Amino acid sequence: MTETTGKYADFEGLRERAVALRREGLSRRQIRDRLHVDNNDILNRLLQGEPAPEWTKRPNAKDDLRAKARELRLQGMTYDRIQVELGCSKSSISLWVRDLPKPERSRSTIEQARLAGRMRWDHELAVRDTERQRTKSAARKETATMSDRELFFAGIALYWAEGSKDKTYDRRENVTFINSDPDVIAVYLAWLDLLDVSRDRLAYRVMIHETADVPAAESYWADLVGIDVSALRKTTLKKHNPKTVRKNVGDSYRGCLVIRVAKGATLYRRIEGWWSGIAAGATSRLMSGDRPGRVEA
């Protein structure tokens, strides 16, 4: 027999006294001191099944949260929503409600998840757009002011990209330019002014689909170039193909403006020569590998 077993040989009698003291409302410490039981395992066995008095229970700050979490779970809320409502961790929520049935994902829950995804994506797009606008604004400052020479070269490249060109099999030495972008039209007209091409040599014509608002388009382009609508040449209407799904529709669609320079054969030849010189210079740079004064892209 061990010393501990011998000391508490009358276990049942000791248990009766311990239970009686417990029911009188004594704490474990008080019972231990009263019965001189200094072994916690023995004390646990003596008091087994006997609840502690209310006054000895320490208040648990999480009891209210646990009860609320269970209530919300029974209402069908997900861990995420409970976390938002109560501000506690998902791990705690999981422990508190894991014995409760998992709520079915209702249509409203799915829609809320989709809405949350769209909101996150909208935020990301807003961030990207801010960066996009910042980059564009910085680049704009680099080119907002142009010398005559810079405009001269810009106009040549612009015309060669968008203007009519002469072919060996079809002689067309005329200066005709067409575009739908009002900014491009503005640069082109500024270039013609630089070349001292008077405005009375210019003829304007609108080209647009027949299903569009033709009068509105004519008024828009006339205002842009500073002439009366009556001064426009006859509008060219493009026939609509029902099988074609066009995206250039609506109030913002104004077709294209065609600008022709009267008696422009000589000017055309000069433009072709200027462009040929630019192309030759660029080719020479490529062949020589000479790349001074690089511009950061």
Side-chain angles (χ1 to χ4, degrees):
M1 178 182 295
T2 64
E3 180 181 352
T4 300
T5 304
K7 185 176 181 180
Y8 305 114
D10 187 13
F11 181 82
E12 291 302 325
L14 194 61
R15 172 172 166 74
E16 288 181 4
R17 294 172 59 193
V19 169
L21 293 173
R22 189 61 152 172
R23 292 176 180 176
E24 291 177 11
L26 272 67
S27 67
R28 286 172 58 89
R29 179 184 293 275
Q30 291 172 329
I31 294 172
R32 183 190 65 189
D33 294 343
R34 187 79 61 91
L35 300 180
H36 306 289
V37 176
D38 53 9
N39 186 300
N40 283 330
D41 290 336
I42 297 297
L43 184 61
N44 288 339
R45 290 172 57 194
L46 292 174
L47 296 176
Q48 185 175 5
E50 290 298 316
E54 290 298 323
W55 73 269
T56 64
K57 294 181 180 179
R58 295 182 179 180
N60 190 336
K62 289 189 176 182
D63 284 347
D64 290 340
L65 282 177
R66 180 180 181 277
K68 185 61 177 177
R70 293 179 65 83
E71 178 185 342
L72 296 177
R73 185 62 166 177
L74 290 172
Q75 293 176 12
M77 287 193 180
T78 63
Y79 287 1
D80 288 334
R81 290 193 61 191
I82 296 174
Q83 183 181 35
V84 171
E85 290 287 336
L86 304 182
C88 46
S89 68
K90 284 187 182 180
S91 59
S92 295
I93 296 171
S94 176
L95 290 173
W96 295 337
V97 305
R98 61 186 176 184
D99 61 311
L100 300 179
K102 185 178 180 180
E104 295 183 4
R105 286 177 61 85
S106 64
R107 184 176 182 84
S108 60
T109 302
I110 296 174
E111 290 299 325
Q112 288 174 0
R114 289 176 179 172
L115 177 60
R118 286 198 298 269
M119 291 176 66
R120 287 193 293 271
W121 181 240
D122 288 344
H123 173 72
E124 175 64 21
L125 290 178
V127 171
R128 293 184 185 183
D129 188 63
T130 298
E131 180 59 29
R132 184 183 298 111
Q133 296 305 323
R134 184 183 298 115
T135 302
K136 290 180 179 180
S137 178
R140 177 188 176 91
K141 293 177 182 178
E142 296 174 357
T143 58
T145 56
M146 280 195 298
S147 66
D148 287 350
R149 185 168 179 78
E150 289 168 338
L151 176 59
F152 174 67
F153 280 101
I156 296 170
L158 187 61
Y159 181 87
W160 206 249
E162 299 294 329
S164 64
K165 301 169 188 68
D166 181 43
K167 307 293 183 183
T168 56
Y169 53 83
D170 186 9
R171 296 257 75 103
R172 292 186 181 180
E173 291 184 323
N174 60 69
V175 180
T176 303
F177 187 85
I178 177 171
N179 206 271
S180 63
D181 189 330
D183 289 336
V184 171
I185 295 295
V187 173
Y188 178 67
L189 290 176
W191 181 64
L192 291 179
D193 289 342
L194 179 67
L195 300 180
D196 202 23
V197 176
S198 60
R199 293 296 177 93
D200 58 10
R201 291 178 57 190
L202 305 184
Y204 304 95
R205 172 170 53 88
V206 177
M207 182 180 293
I208 194 168
H209 284 87
E210 60 184 356
T211 55
D213 188 344
V214 178
E218 292 173 339
S219 178
Y220 172 81
W221 288 116
D223 288 343
L224 182 73
V225 299
I227 62 173
D228 190 78
V229 174
S230 60
L232 289 171
R233 299 292 176 87
K234 184 178 180 180
T235 296
T236 299
L237 297 177
K238 302 178 184 179
K239 290 188 176 182
H240 175 63
N241 184 352
K243 295 181 180 180
T244 302
V245 180
R246 295 190 298 109
K247 295 183 178 180
N248 54 342
V249 295
D251 296 339
S252 61
Y253 173 60
R254 306 182 183 93
C256 299
L257 183 65
V258 182
I259 305 175
R260 182 184 176 92
V261 179
K263 299 179 182 180
T266 300
L267 176 58
Y268 175 81
R269 294 166 190 162
R270 295 175 68 195
I271 294 172
E272 186 170 326
W274 290 332
W275 173 252
S276 178
I278 292 174
T283 301
S284 177
R285 286 170 62 100
L286 287 175
M287 297 298 290
S288 67
D290 183 21
R291 300 181 182 180
R294 297 182 186 180
V295 176
E296 182 179 353

